[in-house]
Short mmCIF file of all heavy atoms in Angstrom, two decimals:
data_model
loop_
_atom_site.label_atom_id
_atom_site.label_comp_id
_atom_site.label_asym_id
_atom_site.label_seq_id
_atom_site.Cartn_x
_atom_site.Cartn_y
_atom_site.Cartn_z
N PHE S 1 -6.37 -14.87 15.79
CA PHE S 1 -6.82 -13.55 16.22
C PHE S 1 -8.18 -13.24 15.60
O PHE S 1 -8.45 -13.65 14.47
CB PHE S 1 -5.83 -12.47 15.78
CG PHE S 1 -4.44 -12.64 16.34
CD1 PHE S 1 -3.48 -13.36 15.63
CD2 PHE S 1 -4.09 -12.09 17.56
CE1 PHE S 1 -2.20 -13.53 16.11
CE2 PHE S 1 -2.80 -12.26 18.06
CZ PHE S 1 -1.86 -12.98 17.34
N ASN S 2 -8.98 -12.52 16.34
CA ASN S 2 -10.25 -12.03 15.80
C ASN S 2 -10.04 -10.56 15.42
O ASN S 2 -10.21 -9.66 16.26
CB ASN S 2 -11.36 -12.17 16.84
CG ASN S 2 -12.67 -11.56 16.35
OD1 ASN S 2 -12.85 -11.32 15.15
ND2 ASN S 2 -13.59 -11.30 17.26
N PHE S 3 -9.67 -10.33 14.18
CA PHE S 3 -9.33 -8.97 13.78
C PHE S 3 -10.54 -8.06 13.63
O PHE S 3 -10.40 -6.85 13.47
CB PHE S 3 -8.51 -8.99 12.49
CG PHE S 3 -7.14 -9.58 12.67
CD1 PHE S 3 -6.74 -10.69 11.93
CD2 PHE S 3 -6.27 -9.05 13.60
CE1 PHE S 3 -5.48 -11.24 12.09
CE2 PHE S 3 -5.00 -9.59 13.78
CZ PHE S 3 -4.60 -10.69 13.03
N ALA S 4 -11.74 -8.64 13.71
CA ALA S 4 -12.94 -7.80 13.76
C ALA S 4 -13.03 -7.08 15.10
O ALA S 4 -13.69 -6.04 15.22
CB ALA S 4 -14.18 -8.66 13.53
N ASP S 5 -12.36 -7.64 16.10
CA ASP S 5 -12.28 -7.03 17.42
C ASP S 5 -11.15 -6.00 17.40
O ASP S 5 -9.97 -6.34 17.25
CB ASP S 5 -12.00 -8.11 18.47
CG ASP S 5 -11.95 -7.55 19.89
OD1 ASP S 5 -11.72 -6.34 20.04
OD2 ASP S 5 -12.12 -8.34 20.83
N THR S 6 -11.50 -4.74 17.53
CA THR S 6 -10.51 -3.66 17.41
C THR S 6 -9.41 -3.79 18.45
O THR S 6 -8.23 -3.50 18.16
CB THR S 6 -11.20 -2.29 17.52
OG1 THR S 6 -12.13 -2.15 16.44
CG2 THR S 6 -10.19 -1.15 17.45
N VAL S 7 -9.74 -4.24 19.63
CA VAL S 7 -8.72 -4.39 20.68
C VAL S 7 -7.67 -5.41 20.24
O VAL S 7 -6.46 -5.16 20.34
CB VAL S 7 -9.36 -4.81 22.01
CG1 VAL S 7 -8.29 -5.15 23.04
CG2 VAL S 7 -10.26 -3.70 22.54
N GLN S 8 -8.12 -6.57 19.73
CA GLN S 8 -7.17 -7.59 19.29
C GLN S 8 -6.36 -7.10 18.08
O GLN S 8 -5.16 -7.39 17.98
CB GLN S 8 -7.91 -8.88 18.93
CG GLN S 8 -8.47 -9.62 20.13
CD GLN S 8 -8.91 -11.02 19.78
OE1 GLN S 8 -8.23 -11.74 19.05
NE2 GLN S 8 -10.05 -11.43 20.32
N PHE S 9 -7.02 -6.39 17.20
CA PHE S 9 -6.31 -5.86 16.02
C PHE S 9 -5.22 -4.89 16.44
O PHE S 9 -4.08 -4.96 15.96
CB PHE S 9 -7.30 -5.18 15.08
CG PHE S 9 -6.66 -4.51 13.90
CD1 PHE S 9 -5.89 -5.22 13.00
CD2 PHE S 9 -6.83 -3.14 13.69
CE1 PHE S 9 -5.29 -4.59 11.91
CE2 PHE S 9 -6.24 -2.51 12.61
CZ PHE S 9 -5.47 -3.24 11.72
N LEU S 10 -5.54 -3.99 17.36
CA LEU S 10 -4.55 -3.01 17.82
C LEU S 10 -3.41 -3.69 18.57
O LEU S 10 -2.25 -3.27 18.47
CB LEU S 10 -5.21 -1.95 18.70
CG LEU S 10 -6.18 -1.01 17.97
CD1 LEU S 10 -6.86 -0.07 18.96
CD2 LEU S 10 -5.46 -0.20 16.89
N GLU S 11 -3.72 -4.75 19.30
CA GLU S 11 -2.66 -5.50 19.99
C GLU S 11 -1.72 -6.15 18.98
O GLU S 11 -0.49 -6.15 19.17
CB GLU S 11 -3.28 -6.56 20.91
CG GLU S 11 -3.94 -5.98 22.15
CD GLU S 11 -4.64 -7.03 22.98
OE1 GLU S 11 -4.78 -8.19 22.49
OE2 GLU S 11 -5.08 -6.71 24.11
N PHE S 12 -2.28 -6.71 17.90
CA PHE S 12 -1.46 -7.32 16.86
C PHE S 12 -0.58 -6.25 16.20
O PHE S 12 0.61 -6.47 15.94
CB PHE S 12 -2.34 -8.00 15.82
CG PHE S 12 -1.58 -8.67 14.71
CD1 PHE S 12 -0.96 -9.89 14.91
CD2 PHE S 12 -1.48 -8.08 13.46
CE1 PHE S 12 -0.24 -10.52 13.89
CE2 PHE S 12 -0.77 -8.69 12.43
CZ PHE S 12 -0.14 -9.91 12.65
N GLU S 13 -1.16 -5.08 15.92
CA GLU S 13 -0.38 -3.99 15.33
C GLU S 13 0.79 -3.60 16.23
O GLU S 13 1.91 -3.39 15.76
CB GLU S 13 -1.27 -2.77 15.08
CG GLU S 13 -2.15 -2.88 13.85
CD GLU S 13 -2.85 -1.58 13.54
OE1 GLU S 13 -3.09 -0.77 14.47
OE2 GLU S 13 -3.17 -1.35 12.38
N GLN S 14 0.51 -3.49 17.51
CA GLN S 14 1.58 -3.12 18.44
C GLN S 14 2.68 -4.17 18.45
O GLN S 14 3.87 -3.84 18.58
CB GLN S 14 1.02 -2.91 19.85
CG GLN S 14 0.20 -1.65 20.00
CD GLN S 14 0.97 -0.40 19.56
OE1 GLN S 14 2.08 -0.15 20.02
NE2 GLN S 14 0.37 0.37 18.66
N TYR S 15 2.30 -5.43 18.30
CA TYR S 15 3.31 -6.48 18.29
C TYR S 15 4.21 -6.37 17.05
O TYR S 15 5.43 -6.46 17.16
CB TYR S 15 2.67 -7.87 18.33
CG TYR S 15 3.72 -8.96 18.39
CD1 TYR S 15 4.29 -9.32 19.61
CD2 TYR S 15 4.17 -9.59 17.23
CE1 TYR S 15 5.30 -10.29 19.68
CE2 TYR S 15 5.18 -10.56 17.28
CZ TYR S 15 5.73 -10.91 18.51
OH TYR S 15 6.74 -11.84 18.56
N ILE S 16 3.61 -6.19 15.87
CA ILE S 16 4.44 -6.13 14.66
C ILE S 16 5.25 -4.82 14.59
O ILE S 16 6.25 -4.75 13.88
CB ILE S 16 3.62 -6.34 13.36
CG1 ILE S 16 2.62 -5.21 13.15
CG2 ILE S 16 2.94 -7.70 13.39
CD1 ILE S 16 1.85 -5.32 11.84
N LEU S 17 4.81 -3.81 15.35
CA LEU S 17 5.61 -2.59 15.45
C LEU S 17 6.82 -2.79 16.34
O LEU S 17 7.83 -2.06 16.23
CB LEU S 17 4.75 -1.44 15.99
CG LEU S 17 3.77 -0.80 15.00
CD1 LEU S 17 2.75 0.06 15.74
CD2 LEU S 17 4.50 0.02 13.95
N ASN S 18 6.75 -3.76 17.24
CA ASN S 18 7.86 -4.04 18.15
C ASN S 18 7.87 -5.53 18.51
O ASN S 18 7.50 -5.91 19.62
CB ASN S 18 7.74 -3.19 19.42
CG ASN S 18 8.95 -3.35 20.32
OD1 ASN S 18 10.05 -3.69 19.87
ND2 ASN S 18 8.75 -3.12 21.61
N PRO S 19 8.27 -6.39 17.57
CA PRO S 19 8.24 -7.83 17.82
C PRO S 19 9.20 -8.22 18.96
O PRO S 19 10.23 -7.58 19.17
CB PRO S 19 8.71 -8.44 16.49
CG PRO S 19 8.62 -7.33 15.50
CD PRO S 19 8.79 -6.07 16.24
N SER S 20 8.85 -9.31 19.66
CA SER S 20 9.70 -9.79 20.75
C SER S 20 10.83 -10.68 20.26
O SER S 20 11.71 -11.05 21.03
CB SER S 20 8.85 -10.55 21.78
OG SER S 20 8.21 -11.66 21.15
N SER S 21 10.83 -11.02 18.99
CA SER S 21 11.83 -11.94 18.43
C SER S 21 13.24 -11.33 18.48
O SER S 21 13.43 -10.12 18.34
CB SER S 21 11.47 -12.25 16.97
OG SER S 21 12.49 -12.98 16.35
N ALA S 22 14.21 -12.23 18.66
CA ALA S 22 15.61 -11.79 18.60
C ALA S 22 16.04 -11.53 17.16
O ALA S 22 16.93 -10.72 16.89
CB ALA S 22 16.50 -12.85 19.23
N LEU S 23 15.39 -12.25 16.23
CA LEU S 23 15.69 -12.06 14.81
C LEU S 23 14.65 -11.10 14.23
O LEU S 23 13.54 -11.49 13.85
CB LEU S 23 15.63 -13.39 14.06
CG LEU S 23 15.86 -13.34 12.54
CD1 LEU S 23 17.22 -12.78 12.21
CD2 LEU S 23 15.67 -14.72 11.92
N LYS S 24 14.98 -9.82 14.18
CA LYS S 24 14.00 -8.83 13.72
C LYS S 24 14.68 -7.58 13.20
O LYS S 24 15.81 -7.24 13.58
CB LYS S 24 13.05 -8.44 14.86
CG LYS S 24 13.73 -7.68 15.99
CD LYS S 24 12.72 -7.27 17.07
CE LYS S 24 13.42 -6.52 18.20
NZ LYS S 24 12.45 -6.12 19.26
N ASN S 25 13.97 -6.91 12.31
CA ASN S 25 14.30 -5.55 11.90
C ASN S 25 13.00 -4.76 11.91
O ASN S 25 11.95 -5.26 11.47
CB ASN S 25 14.93 -5.53 10.51
CG ASN S 25 16.40 -5.91 10.54
OD1 ASN S 25 17.18 -5.27 11.24
ND2 ASN S 25 16.78 -6.94 9.80
N VAL S 26 13.07 -3.52 12.40
CA VAL S 26 11.87 -2.71 12.58
C VAL S 26 12.11 -1.31 12.03
O VAL S 26 13.19 -0.72 12.24
CB VAL S 26 11.48 -2.61 14.07
CG1 VAL S 26 10.25 -1.71 14.26
CG2 VAL S 26 11.21 -4.00 14.65
N ARG S 27 11.11 -0.78 11.34
CA ARG S 27 11.19 0.57 10.81
C ARG S 27 10.53 1.53 11.80
O ARG S 27 9.34 1.37 12.12
CB ARG S 27 10.50 0.66 9.44
CG ARG S 27 10.92 1.88 8.61
CD ARG S 27 10.38 1.78 7.18
NE ARG S 27 10.67 0.49 6.58
CZ ARG S 27 11.85 0.13 6.08
NH1 ARG S 27 12.86 0.98 6.11
NH2 ARG S 27 12.02 -1.07 5.56
N THR S 28 11.26 2.48 12.26
CA THR S 28 10.73 3.39 13.29
C THR S 28 10.05 4.62 12.71
O THR S 28 9.17 5.20 13.35
CB THR S 28 11.86 3.84 14.23
OG1 THR S 28 12.91 4.44 13.46
CG2 THR S 28 12.42 2.65 15.01
N GLU S 29 10.43 5.01 11.50
CA GLU S 29 9.81 6.18 10.88
C GLU S 29 8.94 5.72 9.72
O GLU S 29 9.44 5.20 8.72
CB GLU S 29 10.88 7.16 10.38
CG GLU S 29 11.70 7.79 11.51
CD GLU S 29 12.67 8.83 11.00
OE1 GLU S 29 12.61 9.16 9.79
OE2 GLU S 29 13.49 9.31 11.80
N LEU S 30 7.64 5.93 9.86
CA LEU S 30 6.67 5.46 8.87
C LEU S 30 6.00 6.64 8.17
O LEU S 30 5.88 7.73 8.73
CB LEU S 30 5.61 4.59 9.54
CG LEU S 30 6.12 3.32 10.25
CD1 LEU S 30 4.98 2.61 10.96
CD2 LEU S 30 6.79 2.38 9.25
N ASP S 31 5.55 6.38 6.94
CA ASP S 31 4.89 7.43 6.16
C ASP S 31 3.55 7.82 6.77
O ASP S 31 3.11 8.96 6.65
CB ASP S 31 4.66 6.96 4.72
CG ASP S 31 5.96 6.71 3.98
OD1 ASP S 31 7.03 7.10 4.51
OD2 ASP S 31 5.93 6.13 2.88
N LYS S 32 2.89 6.83 7.38
CA LYS S 32 1.57 7.08 7.97
C LYS S 32 1.49 6.43 9.34
O LYS S 32 2.16 5.42 9.60
CB LYS S 32 0.46 6.49 7.08
CG LYS S 32 0.23 7.22 5.78
CD LYS S 32 -0.97 6.64 5.04
CE LYS S 32 -1.26 7.42 3.76
NZ LYS S 32 -2.44 6.87 3.06
N GLU S 33 0.66 6.99 10.19
CA GLU S 33 0.43 6.40 11.51
C GLU S 33 -0.29 5.06 11.35
O GLU S 33 -1.20 4.91 10.53
CB GLU S 33 -0.44 7.33 12.36
CG GLU S 33 -0.79 6.78 13.73
CD GLU S 33 -1.79 7.63 14.46
OE1 GLU S 33 -2.31 8.60 13.84
OE2 GLU S 33 -2.08 7.34 15.63
N VAL S 34 0.14 4.08 12.12
CA VAL S 34 -0.53 2.79 12.14
C VAL S 34 -1.62 2.84 13.21
O VAL S 34 -1.33 3.09 14.39
CB VAL S 34 0.47 1.65 12.43
CG1 VAL S 34 -0.24 0.31 12.53
CG2 VAL S 34 1.54 1.60 11.35
N ASN S 35 -2.87 2.62 12.80
CA ASN S 35 -3.99 2.73 13.74
C ASN S 35 -5.09 1.74 13.38
O ASN S 35 -4.88 0.84 12.56
CB ASN S 35 -4.53 4.16 13.77
CG ASN S 35 -4.93 4.66 12.38
OD1 ASN S 35 -5.48 3.91 11.58
ND2 ASN S 35 -4.62 5.91 12.08
N GLU S 36 -6.26 1.90 13.95
CA GLU S 36 -7.35 0.94 13.74
C GLU S 36 -7.91 0.97 12.32
O GLU S 36 -8.64 0.07 11.92
CB GLU S 36 -8.49 1.18 14.73
CG GLU S 36 -9.19 2.52 14.59
CD GLU S 36 -10.26 2.71 15.64
OE1 GLU S 36 -9.90 3.11 16.76
OE2 GLU S 36 -11.43 2.44 15.35
N ASP S 37 -7.57 2.00 11.54
CA ASP S 37 -8.03 2.08 10.15
C ASP S 37 -6.99 1.55 9.16
O ASP S 37 -7.24 1.53 7.95
CB ASP S 37 -8.37 3.53 9.80
CG ASP S 37 -9.53 4.06 10.62
OD1 ASP S 37 -10.49 3.30 10.83
OD2 ASP S 37 -9.46 5.23 11.05
N SER S 38 -5.84 1.13 9.65
CA SER S 38 -4.77 0.67 8.77
C SER S 38 -5.12 -0.68 8.12
O SER S 38 -5.92 -1.45 8.66
CB SER S 38 -3.46 0.53 9.55
OG SER S 38 -3.04 1.78 10.06
N LYS S 39 -4.50 -0.90 6.97
CA LYS S 39 -4.64 -2.18 6.27
C LYS S 39 -3.25 -2.84 6.24
O LYS S 39 -2.31 -2.29 5.65
CB LYS S 39 -5.15 -1.97 4.84
CG LYS S 39 -6.53 -1.28 4.78
CD LYS S 39 -7.61 -2.20 5.32
CE LYS S 39 -9.00 -1.58 5.15
NZ LYS S 39 -9.23 -0.42 6.02
N ILE S 40 -3.15 -4.01 6.88
CA ILE S 40 -1.88 -4.71 7.04
C ILE S 40 -1.82 -5.92 6.11
O ILE S 40 -2.80 -6.66 6.00
CB ILE S 40 -1.69 -5.19 8.49
CG1 ILE S 40 -1.83 -4.03 9.48
CG2 ILE S 40 -0.35 -5.90 8.66
CD1 ILE S 40 -0.78 -2.97 9.36
N VAL S 41 -0.69 -6.11 5.45
CA VAL S 41 -0.43 -7.34 4.70
C VAL S 41 0.80 -8.01 5.30
O VAL S 41 1.84 -7.37 5.50
CB VAL S 41 -0.21 -7.06 3.20
CG1 VAL S 41 0.42 -8.28 2.52
CG2 VAL S 41 -1.54 -6.74 2.53
N VAL S 42 0.65 -9.30 5.61
CA VAL S 42 1.74 -10.10 6.17
C VAL S 42 2.20 -11.11 5.12
O VAL S 42 1.39 -11.91 4.63
CB VAL S 42 1.30 -10.84 7.45
CG1 VAL S 42 2.43 -11.73 7.97
CG2 VAL S 42 0.85 -9.85 8.51
N LEU S 43 3.49 -11.08 4.77
CA LEU S 43 4.08 -12.08 3.88
C LEU S 43 4.70 -13.15 4.77
O LEU S 43 5.57 -12.85 5.59
CB LEU S 43 5.13 -11.44 2.98
CG LEU S 43 4.72 -10.16 2.24
CD1 LEU S 43 5.87 -9.66 1.36
CD2 LEU S 43 3.47 -10.38 1.43
N SER S 44 4.24 -14.38 4.62
CA SER S 44 4.64 -15.46 5.52
C SER S 44 5.34 -16.58 4.75
O SER S 44 4.84 -17.06 3.73
CB SER S 44 3.41 -16.02 6.23
OG SER S 44 3.74 -17.14 7.03
N THR S 45 6.51 -16.99 5.27
CA THR S 45 7.24 -18.11 4.68
C THR S 45 7.92 -18.92 5.77
O THR S 45 7.99 -18.49 6.94
CB THR S 45 8.26 -17.62 3.63
OG1 THR S 45 8.71 -18.72 2.86
CG2 THR S 45 9.43 -16.91 4.28
N CYS S 46 8.44 -20.07 5.41
CA CYS S 46 9.11 -20.95 6.38
C CYS S 46 10.55 -20.50 6.63
O CYS S 46 11.10 -19.68 5.89
CB CYS S 46 9.11 -22.38 5.88
SG CYS S 46 7.46 -23.08 5.67
#
């Protein structure tokens, strides 16, 4: 992804807000709105 591109960044945000995976848990009530100014950290493991 080119996260410098706001469109791509917002698309990625929308995906992690509602992943297509069958194995998922999602938080629907957040302390702050997720938008183009948000800072996201992804913890990745196998």
Side-chain angles (χ1 to χ4, degrees):
F1 300 92
N2 176 17
F3 292 122
D5 182 338
T6 298
V7 172
Q8 290 193 42
F9 175 59
L10 292 176
E11 288 176 350
F12 180 77
E13 282 188 333
Q14 288 305 307
Y15 183 83
I16 65 176
L17 283 166
N18 186 25
S20 59
S21 172
L23 177 61
K24 67 178 180 180
N25 280 303
V26 178
R27 199 171 311 282
T28 55
E29 295 184 8
L30 300 175
D31 296 349
K32 289 185 177 181
E33 177 188 6
V34 177
N35 55 39
E36 64 183 83
D37 296 320
S38 297
K39 300 292 185 291
I40 305 295
V41 165
V42 177
L43 310 181
S44 175
T45 194
C46 298

